[in-house]
Amino acid sequence: ELKHQAIMMILAASLLILLYLAYAFGQFGFQDGLRYGTAATISMIHDVFLIFGFMGFAGYFFQWELNSMFITAALTIIGYTNHDTIVVFDRIRENAKLHRDLSFPDMANLAINQTLGRSINTSLTTLLTLTALLLFGTKGSVDLKVFVTLLVLGIAMGVYSSIFFATPILAWLESRKKKGEEQARRPSAAETK
C-alpha cells in the first residue's frame, strides 16, 4: 500500500509540475511551455527512478524498508531537482530575449555556463551539511539515515540531471519543433507542379 501511495503521489506531483511549468514557460504559447515542462518532468522521473533503484539495492543488502521517510525524501528530491532545472530553464528564457541571433543549443549551452557555478555552490553547501548530518547525526536512527542518504544521492543527481539531462532533452524537443516548422513551410511535390 505504501509503494502504491508513493507511486501515486509522485505521478500526481509530476503532472502538476508539468502543467505548472507549461504555464510558467509558455511565453510564446502553451505548446512552448509544454516542451519545458516535459523536459523537466522526464528529468525528475529519472531522478525518482534512481531513488527507487537505490532503495531496492539497499533493501536487499541492508534491509532498508520503504516507509514514510522514503516518500518524504522522494518528494523533497522532486522539489530540489525541479528548482535546479527551473533556474537553468529561466536563464534559457532570458537568453532567448537577449540573444536572438544564437541557435537554441547555443542558448542552452550559454545558460548552463551562466548557472553552473551557482548550481555547484548551492549543491555543495547542501551536500556538506547533509554529509555532516549523515556522519554525526544519524546514530541509532535508521529512518533518519535512510532519509539523509536519499537526500545526498538525490541532490547530487538533481544537479547532474538538470544540466546533463533536462537541458539536452529541451534542446532536442526544440530541434524537433524547428524541423517540423521547416517541413510545414516546404512546399509539397503536388504544390510545386
Side-chain angles (χ1 to χ4, degrees):
E1 185 179 332
L2 192 61
K3 288 178 197 175
H4 179 21
Q5 286 177 349
I7 291 169
M8 294 311 292
M9 290 172 79
I10 289 167
L11 288 175
S14 300
L15 179 63
L16 291 173
I17 288 169
L18 172 70
L19 292 174
Y20 172 74
L21 292 177
Y23 169 75
F25 285 95
Q27 62 193 18
F28 302 115
F30 187 74
Q31 293 290 336
D32 282 337
L34 200 56
R35 280 188 289 282
Y36 282 85
T38 301
T41 303
I42 291 171
S43 174
M44 177 193 65
I45 290 172
H46 163 268
D47 294 346
V48 171
F49 278 147
L50 175 81
I51 297 305
F52 269 102
F54 176 78
M55 277 303 290
F57 173 82
Y60 182 78
F61 288 104
F62 306 116
Q63 287 71 46
W64 287 5
E65 297 178 2
L66 286 179
N67 56 21
S68 60
M69 282 301 211
F70 169 78
I71 294 172
T72 305
L75 292 174
T76 304
I77 290 164
I78 285 172
Y80 196 90
T81 298
N82 277 313
H83 178 266
D84 211 40
T85 301
I86 288 169
V87 168
V88 177
F89 285 3
D90 196 42
R91 190 53 62 102
I92 290 172
R93 182 172 53 181
E94 289 173 12
N95 288 340
K97 294 174 186 172
L98 298 174
H99 304 287
R100 296 183 189 271
D101 56 326
L102 290 178
S103 68
F104 192 86
D106 289 337
M107 272 191 290
N109 189 40
L110 179 62
I112 289 171
N113 287 331
Q114 290 170 334
T115 59
L116 188 62
R118 178 221 167 265
S119 295
I120 290 173
N121 288 338
T122 303
S123 300
L124 279 179
T125 304
T126 308
L127 287 173
L128 286 173
T129 305
L130 288 172
T131 303
L133 182 61
L134 185 63
L135 295 175
F136 305 114
T138 60
K139 302 268 190 276
S141 175
V142 174
D143 285 344
L144 186 59
K145 189 172 201 163
V146 169
F147 180 72
V148 174
T149 303
L150 289 175
L151 285 183
V152 168
L153 182 64
I155 288 171
M157 279 309 298
V159 172
Y160 162 79
S161 67
S162 66
I163 294 170
F164 298 108
F165 202 69
T167 307
I169 288 172
L170 179 61
W172 177 74
L173 290 172
E174 288 292 329
S175 70
R176 286 195 52 179
K177 172 195 157 201
K178 190 173 182 182
K179 284 180 186 175
E181 288 173 350
E182 289 172 359
Q183 286 178 349
R185 273 184 261 159
R186 242 185 261 147
S188 65
E191 291 174 353
T192 56
K193 291 182 181 180

